[in-house]
Amino acid sequence: MTDRPVLRVDQDIGLLSNIRMGVEVAVGLAYLSNRRLAFPNKRMPGAPVSSITGARRGRPATVRDLFDLPIEMVDPLEWDDAALSAIEEFDIGAIGDTVIVVDDVDPCDPMLREFANGRTRMMVPPSSDADVLYLRGDWLSFYSYCFFATGHQRRALWAFIQGVRPRRPYAALGARIARDLSGRFNAVHFRRSDLSIGLRAYAGVSG
């Protein structure tokens, strides 16, 4: 390990979109806590139903295969081999039910209450003297819904998180697919458990 401390997070169990959302939140937390970021070296699962047969699917990708990340990452081999003498763990639960308060504001601040949208769980970006800070939880959330920040702090945080981008070959493939689709179009996919089996219906999700 280098002298710079580490933020260790788990990977969302979902597919690509869910995983990217969790990565963006984790990148934001690593930036705010001035830590390197460590993910488990897990392969992304395939789609439940795919037209590509197993023999043609190739090697499943990891987060680092698919995305350019703006934060310094811990190499998986370094993580596996390191003698980690100081690990502090926190279970943060469901990040989508939590507001991460970046600004120094009163909990009763009207802007914060409006942003919280009924959420009552508040946390500040993690601070610890431990070499490795391990945050356990469910990482599915939009970063813009998760972090309460204003002014320069918000602009700087958003710009950093937006450095999470698909690697060039995948961005090029997406552009090629879009060009091949006929006509001009805009699309919104507003999904409320329509393709999920065995999961709770998200009846409590507000607009």
Side-chain angles (χ1 to χ4, degrees):
M1 287 276 180
T2 68
D3 291 337
R4 192 172 178 207
V6 172
L7 178 68
R8 168 80 176 195
V9 301
D10 292 319
Q11 183 173 295
D12 190 274
I13 61 173
L15 300 177
L16 181 60
S17 295
N18 287 28
I19 290 171
R20 177 175 181 166
M21 290 164 65
V23 167
E24 290 171 336
V25 174
V27 163
L29 283 170
Y31 168 78
L32 292 169
S33 58
N34 194 28
R35 289 174 175 265
R36 296 187 294 155
L37 183 58
F39 281 112
N41 196 32
K42 292 182 179 177
R43 304 289 179 187
M44 292 192 188
V49 178
S50 175
S51 60
I52 303 175
T53 61
R56 296 174 54 227
R57 289 184 185 180
R59 177 180 63 83
T62 66
V63 166
R64 293 173 64 162
D65 290 328
L66 294 175
F67 296 109
D68 285 321
L69 302 174
I71 198 84
E72 184 182 356
M73 299 293 295
V74 176
D75 186 272
L77 293 177
E78 179 188 355
W79 176 264
D80 293 340
D81 294 342
L84 302 176
S85 58
I87 300 180
E88 189 170 359
E89 294 191 20
F90 291 98
D91 189 341
I92 61 173
I95 201 73
D97 295 335
T98 305
V99 179
I100 300 175
V101 183
V102 180
D103 289 351
D104 184 15
V105 295
D106 187 283
C108 296
D109 181 274
M111 287 181 62
L112 175 58
R113 291 172 64 88
E114 181 179 359
F115 179 86
N117 191 30
R119 291 172 291 174
T120 57
R121 294 184 63 225
M122 307 279 175
M123 65 174 281
V124 297
S127 176
S128 172
D129 294 330
D131 292 338
V132 178
L133 181 60
Y134 188 1
L135 298 184
R136 298 181 179 273
D138 176 356
W139 289 94
L140 180 59
S141 180
F142 288 108
Y143 68 85
S144 56
Y145 185 66
C146 181
F147 293 101
F148 176 77
T150 59
H152 172 74
Q153 181 81 287
R154 182 180 187 275
R155 290 191 296 273
L157 178 60
W158 264 221
F160 193 85
I161 294 174
Q162 287 164 5
V164 178
R165 297 179 182 275
R167 288 191 180 274
R168 189 170 298 174
Y170 302 102
L173 174 62
R176 193 178 80 187
I177 292 171
R179 286 196 304 269
D180 289 345
L181 295 173
S182 60
R184 297 176 60 85
F185 59 89
N186 288 305
V188 174
H189 180 188
F190 200 95
R191 179 168 142 186
R192 294 174 63 87
S193 303
D194 54 331
L195 302 179
S196 299
I197 298 174
L199 300 178
R200 67 181 178 84
Y202 294 94
V205 176
S206 72

